[in-house]
Amino acid sequence: MALVAKRELVCFFLMMMIMTFSGACMAATYNVGDSAGWTIQIPVDYTKWSSTNNFHVDDKIVFTYNKQFHNVLQVTHQNFQSCNATSPIASYTSGSDSITLKSPGNFYYLCGVPGHCQAGQKVPIKVITASASPSLAPTESALSGSPSAFMAPSPSPSSAPIIQSSKFWLAVTALAFYLIG
């Protein structure tokens, strides 16, 4: 009887650890502009898209575009507001740029091709510190509608999270089955 109670206690402890640390082991990947990607061909409100997502440290944003016609420049807030692409912080030109969000704060990206930023091809990204709740992958954003404030609260995403440490989860699951069975 004491052995059964001990196993139940160990299993309860493992489940509590999993729930407590699950947020630190998950990250999400966001495709900028969802299925439209990084373009001016399809009207995308990138500020609205950004405001409907919760970006956390270690999440990734992916810019997908035709590299013959677009690029991605990380710029200061002032250069973002004025669409000034002359002195970027970072420049991306692969056509499929994956950027890991390494720290909390506000980050600004625009297309440096003349006229594209002015046409709306720019996106602000607000990154918050990872919390105890897991960061989930984004949902498909609406491609049209009235602009919303950048600081608008985000709806709860419904897609499954991308788990970065699958070996950890495999080990925890194996340990749980060993202790139970």
Side-chain angles (χ1 to χ4, degrees):
M1 190 72 144
L3 183 59
V4 172
K6 184 177 179 181
R7 280 189 179 168
E8 288 177 1
L9 183 61
V10 169
C11 288
F12 175 76
F13 177 73
L14 282 173
M15 294 302 286
M16 294 305 291
M17 283 181 48
I18 289 169
M19 290 175 16
T20 301
F21 295 110
S22 65
C25 298
M26 297 179 169
T29 298
Y30 296 86
N31 293 313
V32 176
D34 293 324
S35 62
W38 186 239
T39 184
I40 58 171
Q41 301 293 341
I42 301 170
V44 178
D45 184 339
Y46 291 105
T47 299
K48 182 176 181 179
W49 173 85
S50 177
S51 72
T52 61
N53 292 297
N54 287 318
F55 302 101
H56 295 87
V57 172
D58 292 329
D59 285 351
K60 291 182 183 183
I61 54 173
V62 178
F63 291 86
T64 305
Y65 56 93
N66 184 330
K67 65 183 183 178
Q68 291 179 315
F69 302 108
H70 304 288
N71 60 31
V72 178
L73 304 178
Q74 181 182 355
V75 296
T76 65
H77 182 250
Q78 182 178 4
N79 287 345
F80 177 81
Q81 288 181 314
S82 63
C83 287
N84 182 348
T86 58
S87 55
I89 297 166
S91 179
Y92 305 93
T93 59
S94 75
S96 182
D97 304 312
S98 179
I99 301 168
T100 301
L101 305 171
K102 295 286 188 186
S103 61
N106 293 305
F107 301 91
Y108 305 95
Y109 302 90
L110 54 80
C111 181
V113 174
H116 288 202
C117 178
Q118 291 83 351
Q121 197 175 7
K122 61 183 191 173
V123 62
I125 303 289
K126 180 178 181 176
V127 180
I128 58 176
T129 305
S131 63
S133 63
S135 173
L136 300 177
T139 58
E140 193 74 18
S141 297
L143 295 178
S144 63
S146 62
S148 61
F150 178 64
M151 300 298 290
S154 300
S156 298
S158 61
S159 301
I162 298 170
I163 301 176
Q164 292 183 330
S165 56
S166 58
K167 290 180 183 179
F168 169 77
W169 292 113
L170 181 62
V172 168
T173 303
L175 179 61
F177 278 117
Y178 172 77
L179 292 173
I180 292 171

